[in-house]
Amino acid sequence: MSASRRPNGVSKPSPRVSPNTSARSPSTKRPPTISDNLTTLLHPAEGLLLLTYPSLLLLGSLFSLLDPSARAAPYSASLQSHPPDMAPNYFALKKNVFNIWFVKVGWFWFTVAWAVWVLMGMGMVRARSQAPPREKNKARIVELSDDEEVEEEEEGREEKDGMLVLTPQKLQSALRWVVVTFWWMVVTQWCFGPALIDRGFRLTGGQCELMQSNTARQEMGDVREFVTATACKIAGGEWKGGHDISGHVFILVLGSASLGLEVLGAMVNDRRPGAEEKQAQLGKWGWGIVVGVVGMSWWMLLMTAAYFHTWFEKFTGLSTAFVGITVVYMLPRVIPGVRDILGVPGR
């Protein structure tokens, strides 16, 4: 055994190093694994946001069972709602103003709210947090007599530059929104022909029945090639017989959850200098429209759960929306290659 000698002549045994112990440089970092990333998959606030959607569907569905007026009103499977002349309340009507001007054009409102957040809220704060301290404090070193004028000029320039600067985070947010929009289009609008909702309806035995008169109805026969719900209605028929994924649930969940994860993720995940200022800027530029759009989505989701569609149709609408959410917002957290492309909000 080797020994080291102290100045007073007393020997001190040297520490023994196990042969199985490998020396590792403190600067060497082990590449993150999927199991490591799973431990930080979701911030609690993000998990609470996603839990809101099944909770709202459950609450609305239970309300329809407990509310006497909703129970007393007959439900039409072909209309996927209560008949208009027997609707329990205003929100049970398909022609209510919120359904027509918000849900029916919902992706427009979601995109507007996202653009406000990215171009104004996120962009301005990121530009300010990344600006050199010398530039940010430039207005503070001027003389007291003219500091107010210089501060206003500097702040105006910073705000303008913050809106227009193109950062990697903004590009990744735009790419995420493009992918989410593509999923919305494939499910509800077009999928190399009929959308997935219409294809699923046909595959489960549904078809369009053409109304011939007010008292008689016969199958479309040769005109079954009207394979979409819109074409069926234009032809004067009714879309019935198969399983119809709730398009309302799908778009309300996909749009508001994506928007919420973009904003909430940036607020809770950003640990760089300027993150606290981000919340103030978000409140100044984007918070109002984001809260308004997400809040209205939650309310209309609750009304959809209470008065429209069956339990299973609402469940499949929720599940289809969560497929898109998982691909765009969950996979990048566990697969580094996907994270390099799509990124994670606030990281």
Side-chain angles (χ1 to χ4, degrees):
M1 177 184 300
S2 62
S4 60
R5 184 171 299 276
R6 296 181 180 177
N8 58 7
V10 180
S11 298
K12 177 184 178 181
S14 300
R16 177 177 297 176
V17 179
S18 173
N20 296 327
T21 303
S22 59
R24 180 177 298 176
S25 172
S27 61
T28 303
K29 293 183 179 180
R30 177 174 57 86
T33 63
I34 291 181
S35 60
D36 294 333
N37 292 324
L38 283 172
T39 61
T40 57
L41 181 62
L42 281 176
H43 187 279
E46 295 172 312
L48 184 62
L49 170 68
L50 296 180
L51 186 61
T52 300
Y53 296 98
S55 301
L56 286 173
L57 290 178
L58 180 61
L59 180 63
S61 299
L62 291 176
F63 176 81
S64 66
L65 297 177
L66 300 176
D67 179 47
S69 61
R71 285 204 320 268
Y75 181 83
S76 172
S78 60
L79 295 176
Q80 299 172 336
S81 65
H82 301 284
D85 56 339
M86 304 186 70
N89 63 40
Y90 178 73
F91 286 98
L93 295 171
K94 287 187 174 182
K95 292 186 178 181
N96 76 75
V97 65
F98 301 100
N99 186 54
I100 293 176
W101 292 105
F102 181 77
V103 181
K104 294 293 187 181
V105 291
W107 210 254
F108 166 78
W109 296 112
F110 293 133
T111 303
V112 168
W114 168 82
V116 170
W117 155 242
V118 171
L119 298 179
M120 296 184 178
M122 182 179 72
M124 289 175 58
V125 175
R126 289 190 184 280
R128 289 190 176 193
S129 64
Q130 294 174 354
R134 181 185 173 200
E135 291 296 326
K136 296 172 71 173
N137 297 327
K138 185 176 180 180
R140 300 179 184 176
I141 62 175
V142 299
E143 296 295 331
L144 183 61
S145 58
D146 58 349
D147 65 345
E148 291 184 0
E149 179 180 353
V150 175
E151 283 181 359
E152 290 180 359
E153 181 181 352
E154 291 295 326
E155 288 179 1
R157 185 179 298 110
E158 284 181 355
E159 291 183 359
K160 181 179 179 181
D161 292 344
M163 290 176 61
L164 300 178
V165 67
L166 194 61
T167 64
Q169 292 81 12
K170 291 169 69 173
L171 287 175
Q172 287 182 323
S173 180
L175 181 58
R176 288 192 296 269
W177 199 256
V178 167
V179 176
V180 170
T181 301
F182 177 76
W183 182 238
W184 162 78
M185 182 187 71
V186 165
V187 173
T188 65
Q189 306 297 313
W190 176 85
C191 180
F192 305 97
L196 288 184
I197 286 181
D198 295 323
R199 290 180 183 272
F201 187 86
R202 291 295 303 273
L203 290 175
T204 54
Q207 64 181 10
C208 183
E209 294 185 351
L210 190 62
M211 296 294 296
Q212 298 294 331
S213 67
N214 293 331
T215 58
R217 178 187 296 121
Q218 78 179 56
E219 294 184 0
M220 291 185 67
D222 295 336
V223 289
R224 284 185 182 177
E225 294 305 316
F226 288 101
V227 293
T228 68
T230 301
C232 178
K233 292 178 181 178
I234 293 175
E238 289 187 2
W239 198 236
K240 61 185 300 184
H243 174 72
D244 187 21
I245 298 173
S246 174
H248 276 49
V249 171
F250 169 78
I251 187 175
L252 291 171
V253 173
L254 180 67
S256 63
S258 299
L259 180 60
L261 287 172
E262 287 289 336
V263 177
L264 186 60
M267 294 176 66
V268 301
N269 292 328
D270 199 335
R271 296 295 181 265
R272 296 173 304 162
E276 294 182 359
E277 184 184 359
K278 175 175 304 194
Q279 299 185 25
Q281 288 294 338
L282 180 60
K284 181 179 179 181
W285 296 102
W287 186 247
I289 189 171
V290 169
V291 170
V293 170
V294 173
M296 179 59 69
S297 299
W298 288 359
W299 174 253
M300 294 308 296
L301 183 63
L302 184 64
M303 294 299 99
T304 299
Y307 301 117
F308 300 94
H309 290 282
T310 65
W311 284 73
F312 189 53
E313 289 170 347
K314 288 177 280 193
F315 171 76
T316 52
L318 175 69
S319 302
T320 307
F322 269 34
V323 169
I325 295 296
T326 300
V327 170
V328 177
Y329 292 98
M330 300 298 109
L331 286 186
R333 304 174 190 233
V334 297
I335 302 179
V338 180
R339 181 165 60 247
D340 292 339
I341 299 174
L342 295 178
V344 176
R347 299 184 186 178

Short mmCIF file of all heavy atoms in Angstrom, two decimals, residues 16 56 94-95 122 167 172 183 189 210 212-213 234 268 276 321:
data_model
loop_
_atom_site.label_atom_id
_atom_site.label_comp_id
_atom_site.label_asym_id
_atom_site.label_seq_id
_atom_site.Cartn_x
_atom_site.Cartn_y
_atom_site.Cartn_z
N ARG A 16 -7.83 4.48 -1.36
CA ARG A 16 -7.83 3.38 -2.33
C ARG A 16 -8.94 3.63 -3.36
O ARG A 16 -10.07 3.92 -3.01
CB ARG A 16 -8.08 2.06 -1.63
CG ARG A 16 -8.17 0.86 -2.59
CD ARG A 16 -8.33 -0.43 -1.83
NE ARG A 16 -7.16 -0.68 -0.99
CZ ARG A 16 -7.07 -1.71 -0.15
NH1 ARG A 16 -8.08 -2.56 -0.05
NH2 ARG A 16 -6.00 -1.88 0.59
N LEU A 56 -64.13 19.15 -19.01
CA LEU A 56 -65.25 19.91 -19.56
C LEU A 56 -66.25 19.00 -20.28
O LEU A 56 -67.47 19.19 -20.16
CB LEU A 56 -64.73 20.99 -20.51
CG LEU A 56 -64.05 22.20 -19.87
CD1 LEU A 56 -63.45 23.09 -20.95
CD2 LEU A 56 -65.05 22.99 -19.03
N LYS A 94 -78.14 25.14 -33.20
CA LYS A 94 -76.97 25.20 -34.07
C LYS A 94 -76.77 26.59 -34.67
O LYS A 94 -75.65 26.94 -35.05
CB LYS A 94 -77.10 24.18 -35.21
CG LYS A 94 -76.91 22.74 -34.77
CD LYS A 94 -76.90 21.81 -35.97
CE LYS A 94 -76.57 20.39 -35.56
NZ LYS A 94 -76.51 19.46 -36.72
N LYS A 95 -77.84 27.37 -34.75
CA LYS A 95 -77.75 28.69 -35.35
C LYS A 95 -77.49 29.79 -34.33
O LYS A 95 -77.65 30.98 -34.66
CB LYS A 95 -79.03 29.00 -36.13
CG LYS A 95 -79.21 28.11 -37.36
CD LYS A 95 -80.41 28.54 -38.18
CE LYS A 95 -80.56 27.68 -39.44
NZ LYS A 95 -81.71 28.10 -40.27
N MET A 122 -44.42 37.30 -27.61
CA MET A 122 -43.17 36.55 -27.55
C MET A 122 -42.04 37.28 -28.24
O MET A 122 -40.93 37.39 -27.73
CB MET A 122 -43.35 35.17 -28.19
CG MET A 122 -42.10 34.31 -28.11
SD MET A 122 -42.33 32.68 -28.85
CE MET A 122 -42.40 33.10 -30.58
N THR A 167 -36.69 35.30 -34.95
CA THR A 167 -35.86 34.48 -34.07
C THR A 167 -36.12 33.01 -34.35
O THR A 167 -37.17 32.63 -34.89
CB THR A 167 -36.18 34.78 -32.60
OG1 THR A 167 -37.55 34.40 -32.33
CG2 THR A 167 -36.02 36.27 -32.30
N GLN A 172 -39.83 28.24 -35.09
CA GLN A 172 -40.30 26.95 -34.63
C GLN A 172 -41.76 27.01 -34.21
O GLN A 172 -42.52 26.07 -34.45
CB GLN A 172 -39.43 26.45 -33.47
CG GLN A 172 -38.05 26.00 -33.91
CD GLN A 172 -37.22 25.48 -32.77
OE1 GLN A 172 -37.26 25.99 -31.65
NE2 GLN A 172 -36.43 24.45 -33.03
N TRP A 183 -52.96 19.16 -39.63
CA TRP A 183 -53.78 18.10 -39.01
C TRP A 183 -55.25 18.50 -38.98
O TRP A 183 -56.12 17.68 -39.25
CB TRP A 183 -53.27 17.81 -37.60
CG TRP A 183 -53.99 16.72 -36.88
CD1 TRP A 183 -54.65 16.80 -35.68
CD2 TRP A 183 -54.14 15.35 -37.29
NE1 TRP A 183 -55.19 15.60 -35.33
CE2 TRP A 183 -54.89 14.69 -36.30
CE3 TRP A 183 -53.71 14.64 -38.41
CZ2 TRP A 183 -55.21 13.34 -36.40
CZ3 TRP A 183 -54.04 13.29 -38.51
CH2 TRP A 183 -54.78 12.66 -37.51
N GLN A 189 -61.18 19.00 -43.44
CA GLN A 189 -61.36 19.65 -44.73
C GLN A 189 -61.05 18.76 -45.92
O GLN A 189 -61.89 18.57 -46.80
CB GLN A 189 -60.47 20.91 -44.80
CG GLN A 189 -60.67 21.88 -43.66
CD GLN A 189 -62.07 22.45 -43.63
OE1 GLN A 189 -62.61 22.87 -44.65
NE2 GLN A 189 -62.68 22.49 -42.45
N LEU A 210 -80.97 11.00 -49.62
CA LEU A 210 -81.48 12.18 -50.31
C LEU A 210 -82.96 12.37 -50.04
O LEU A 210 -83.77 11.44 -50.21
CB LEU A 210 -81.25 12.03 -51.82
CG LEU A 210 -81.51 13.27 -52.67
CD1 LEU A 210 -80.57 14.39 -52.26
CD2 LEU A 210 -81.32 12.93 -54.14
N GLN A 212 -86.48 13.32 -50.92
CA GLN A 212 -87.26 13.46 -52.13
C GLN A 212 -88.47 14.36 -51.93
O GLN A 212 -88.92 15.03 -52.84
CB GLN A 212 -87.73 12.07 -52.61
CG GLN A 212 -86.59 11.14 -52.97
CD GLN A 212 -85.80 11.62 -54.17
OE1 GLN A 212 -86.34 12.28 -55.05
NE2 GLN A 212 -84.51 11.29 -54.18
N SER A 213 -89.01 14.33 -50.73
CA SER A 213 -90.16 15.19 -50.43
C SER A 213 -90.20 15.37 -48.92
O SER A 213 -89.35 14.86 -48.19
CB SER A 213 -91.46 14.57 -50.94
OG SER A 213 -91.74 13.39 -50.20
N ILE A 234 -75.76 19.91 -49.60
CA ILE A 234 -76.02 20.70 -50.80
C ILE A 234 -76.98 19.97 -51.73
O ILE A 234 -77.84 20.57 -52.37
CB ILE A 234 -74.70 21.02 -51.53
CG1 ILE A 234 -73.85 21.97 -50.67
CG2 ILE A 234 -74.96 21.65 -52.89
CD1 ILE A 234 -72.48 22.25 -51.25
N VAL A 268 -44.02 29.26 -18.44
CA VAL A 268 -43.54 28.42 -17.33
C VAL A 268 -42.20 27.76 -17.61
O VAL A 268 -41.52 27.33 -16.68
CB VAL A 268 -44.58 27.32 -16.99
CG1 VAL A 268 -45.90 27.93 -16.60
CG2 VAL A 268 -44.76 26.35 -18.17
N GLU A 276 -39.50 37.05 -16.64
CA GLU A 276 -40.51 37.73 -15.86
C GLU A 276 -41.12 38.88 -16.65
O GLU A 276 -42.31 39.14 -16.58
CB GLU A 276 -39.91 38.23 -14.55
CG GLU A 276 -39.49 37.11 -13.61
CD GLU A 276 -38.94 37.66 -12.31
OE1 GLU A 276 -38.89 38.90 -12.19
OE2 GLU A 276 -38.59 36.86 -11.44
N ALA A 321 -58.11 14.98 -31.61
CA ALA A 321 -57.40 16.23 -31.33
C ALA A 321 -56.12 15.97 -30.56
O ALA A 321 -55.07 16.56 -30.84
CB ALA A 321 -58.30 17.19 -30.56
#
